[in-house]
Amino acid sequence: MPDRPDYAALTRGQIALLDRINSGEAGLAVLTQLVRLAQDVLGGRGAGFAEYSPGHGRVIAASGGCEHALGLRVERDDARLREGPRTLLVPITSLDEEFAGEIEGGDRILGTRCETGGLIVGFLYVSYSGDDPDPTTEHHAVLELLAANIGHMYGDQAGLPVHGDGPVVAALSDGLAIIDRHGVVQLWNPAAEQLTGRSAAEMLQRELHLPVPPPGQVLVHRLPSGRWLKVTAGDLPGTPAMRVVTFRDSTDQDRRHEDRDLFVAVTSHELRTPVTVIKGYADTLTNHWDSLGEDGRQEAVRVIGARAGELARLVDRLLSATSDDGEVGGSAAGPFDLVDGLRAAARNLPADLHRRLILDRLPAELPKAFGDRDSLATILTELATNADRYSAPDTEVEVTAAADDTTVTFRVADRGIGVKPEHVERAFERYWQGESADRGRNPGAGLGLYLVRRIVERQNGWVSLRPREGGGTVAEVRLPRA
């Protein structure tokens, strides 16, 4: 690590970021470039950014020796990250054990919280090895500058936050006005402009056009545009002559029920197919037992067994996906051979999907993984189905595997339409679906990746998506080594 930050690289990097933003780019792609810039300018072995959601964080951008942690869920209850100095240098051993294990070549991190509007939206960090001298006050200052850039991006809501849940998103999307005792607007935030269509220039020093409810009450108001707002108000602490008015869009408050209806409709369609096949073959066995012959009866029993397994997996998806807090069912965790488990899971795939999988690049041996071997059937089915949905029927879906000191990994890679950087985390949300060139060929309810993440994280692993070089998407699952 150099004695001073690379200010020339910082200048070039800032200009490149501004060029991308001015050209209309935003969100995760720009955030990832900023993380790489932090590593380059500060001479670290790696860098990363964890975005905060309710109760936890998740690594959504990383570079260098921190790349393995992409998609990893991390704890956010460390008081050092919320209080005291904005930047701090801490030994990796003092952090979450799983997170620390995925930082290659580093034993310390220099980190800083990223804030906007008084809210902590995440944590930016750079890792250093034992051979590197301690970062100087200049390194701390540059990291704070880059963190301020991230906070500004979140404040603009330009493709961020990546995750659509939690108080950070709600606070950033709430309209906020401060009015005096006469109802005249003294402050009008960007979200208020977006929600009402009225700019700060139009509203400042003018009477608020929204009704203001008494403290502790909620008032629903309809704008001329047809948008419904939920409005609340309260006194501004320390300034009794001022009031804070907040309002949020409630037009889509029934969206969850609509999503549930969509899920039930699509899942009902999926369930109907195996049930119809099972009943048909069972009726054939009952009515034509003697005429079928031994081979015919064996084939009917085989199809019934295969379809019953498919039906069981569909029912498990239904029960798991309709619960917000319940655990996804599974067997007890233990050591298992990942490659053998993947080959067995592939044999249970529908024939047309199995034919697309390329498994001959799997290694002959790997260290054993620790987890639920039986869950591989569900994980591989969902990842392969997702690859099938978003790629042409004649393209290959490649399955590979590898291991490092702490994890055993497998990847499912396609040559489909690819995943946009701003969608690599949204894809794991329940009911969310990307655009498919041929949705009708393989419809879904937007549950597959949501369930995969829940199943993998129950085994203390993590899963991530990323665009594939040359086109397509790579889904990567990491499980602990036994």
Side-chain angles (χ1 to χ4, degrees):
M1 181 184 72
D3 294 336
R4 303 186 67 199
D6 187 340
Y7 289 109
L10 177 63
T11 302
R12 291 193 301 268
Q14 292 278 53
I15 292 172
L17 284 169
L18 287 173
D19 286 343
R20 294 186 69 170
I21 293 170
N22 290 336
S23 67
E25 289 191 70
L28 192 56
V30 176
L31 176 63
T32 299
Q33 182 172 335
L34 195 148
V35 167
R36 293 194 190 103
L37 180 62
Q39 177 186 345
D40 293 342
V41 171
L42 298 177
R45 301 303 172 100
F49 176 76
E51 180 181 275
Y52 285 169
S53 288
H56 67 274
R58 193 178 297 279
V59 178
I60 64 170
S63 66
C66 298
E67 280 189 330
H68 277 180
L70 269 176
L72 177 66
R73 177 173 168 146
V74 296
E75 298 303 320
R76 56 166 295 181
D77 58 359
D78 190 332
R80 294 174 301 178
L81 309 183
R82 302 190 309 269
E83 304 165 0
R86 184 159 181 175
T87 59
L88 68 162
L89 182 70
V90 296
I92 288 177
T93 53
S94 71
L95 301 171
D96 174 78
E97 183 177 350
E98 191 170 16
F99 171 62
E102 296 310 314
I103 298 181
E104 291 187 345
D107 63 1
R108 293 162 295 159
I109 66 165
L110 177 66
T112 183
R113 55 184 181 267
C114 302
E115 300 174 299
T116 182
L119 293 164
I120 301 177
V121 296
F123 188 73
L124 175 66
Y125 56 92
V126 178
S127 68
Y128 296 99
S129 75
D131 298 331
D132 296 318
D134 281 346
T136 67
T137 55
E138 291 184 59
H139 290 80
H140 285 247
V142 169
L143 190 65
E144 287 189 25
L145 170 65
L146 296 176
N149 287 342
I150 292 176
H152 186 73
M153 291 167 61
Y154 274 82
D156 287 344
Q157 299 180 61
L160 298 169
V162 168
H163 296 96
D165 58 348
V168 169
V169 177
L172 290 174
S173 60
D174 277 0
L176 184 145
I178 295 179
I179 58 175
D180 63 19
R181 63 179 183 273
H182 302 296
V184 175
V185 176
Q186 306 298 314
L187 182 144
W188 191 252
N189 76 341
E193 294 183 342
Q194 294 177 5
L195 288 171
T196 65
R198 298 194 180 191
S199 67
E202 294 176 278
M203 293 304 302
L204 290 175
Q205 303 306 319
R206 289 177 172 81
E207 188 174 349
L208 181 64
H209 66 295
L210 302 175
V212 180
Q217 295 186 23
V218 178
L219 188 149
V220 179
H221 175 70
R222 188 174 188 269
L223 296 173
S225 64
R227 173 176 281 169
W228 290 88
L229 300 179
K230 284 186 176 178
V231 186
T232 59
D235 293 331
L236 186 66
T239 314
M242 295 287 187
R243 302 192 74 189
V244 178
V245 181
T246 60
F247 40 95
R248 67 177 54 179
D249 190 347
S250 62
T251 308
D252 294 332
Q253 60 184 347
D254 294 328
R255 178 69 58 80
R256 180 178 291 272
H257 301 294
E258 294 172 4
D259 287 342
R260 184 68 56 85
D261 291 343
L262 170 65
F263 162 66
V264 172
V266 175
T267 304
S268 297
H269 172 76
E270 292 187 51
L271 289 171
R272 191 174 293 115
T273 300
V275 167
T276 301
V277 172
I278 290 170
K279 185 178 186 304
Y281 274 90
D283 289 344
T284 300
L285 284 173
T286 301
N287 300 324
H288 306 283
W289 180 271
D290 293 329
S291 61
L292 281 175
E294 183 63 23
D295 290 344
R297 292 193 290 266
Q298 289 284 354
E299 176 62 13
V301 170
R302 186 195 67 78
V303 172
I304 289 174
R307 291 295 185 167
E310 178 185 342
L311 181 61
R313 288 192 293 274
L314 286 172
V315 171
D316 187 56
R317 290 174 66 196
L318 171 64
L319 296 175
S320 300
T322 52
S323 168
D324 288 315
D325 302 314
E327 290 289 342
V328 179
S331 306
F336 71 93
D337 186 319
L338 178 67
V339 172
D340 182 65
L342 287 171
R343 294 189 184 278
R347 289 193 291 270
N348 291 326
L349 291 173
D352 57 341
L353 195 54
H354 187 193
R355 281 194 294 270
R356 296 189 63 182
L357 289 190
I358 303 301
L359 301 168
D360 55 8
R361 292 160 194 164
L362 289 170
E365 287 187 11
L366 277 180
K368 289 189 181 298
F370 190 87
D372 175 9
R373 185 184 190 276
D374 293 342
S375 72
L376 284 181
T378 299
I379 296 171
L380 185 61
T381 297
E382 299 299 349
L383 295 181
T385 300
N386 200 62
D388 177 64
R389 180 176 296 125
Y390 296 104
S391 58
D394 57 345
T395 56
E396 297 177 344
V397 176
E398 183 181 358
V399 182
T400 57
D404 58 28
D405 291 341
T406 58
T407 60
V408 182
T409 306
F410 73 92
R411 300 177 181 90
V412 178
D414 63 60
R415 286 297 183 191
I417 61 176
V419 58
K420 297 178 181 178
E422 61 266 29
H423 292 166
V424 296
E425 281 298 321
R426 289 204 66 198
F428 292 101
E429 295 177 8
R430 185 166 56 175
Y431 306 126
W432 189 87
Q433 297 186 77
E435 291 300 320
S436 171
D438 189 8
R439 176 74 57 79
R441 176 169 60 86
N442 195 352
L447 289 169
L449 292 177
Y450 165 77
L451 289 175
V452 166
R453 174 160 273 178
R454 293 185 66 192
I455 292 168
V456 171
E457 290 189 346
R458 181 177 57 82
Q459 301 173 69
N460 297 315
W462 66 96
V463 58
S464 62
L465 285 183
R466 59 179 64 104
R468 187 181 186 186
E469 187 175 348
T473 302
V474 178
E476 179 178 277
V477 175
R478 287 184 174 270
L479 296 170
R481 277 183 56 157

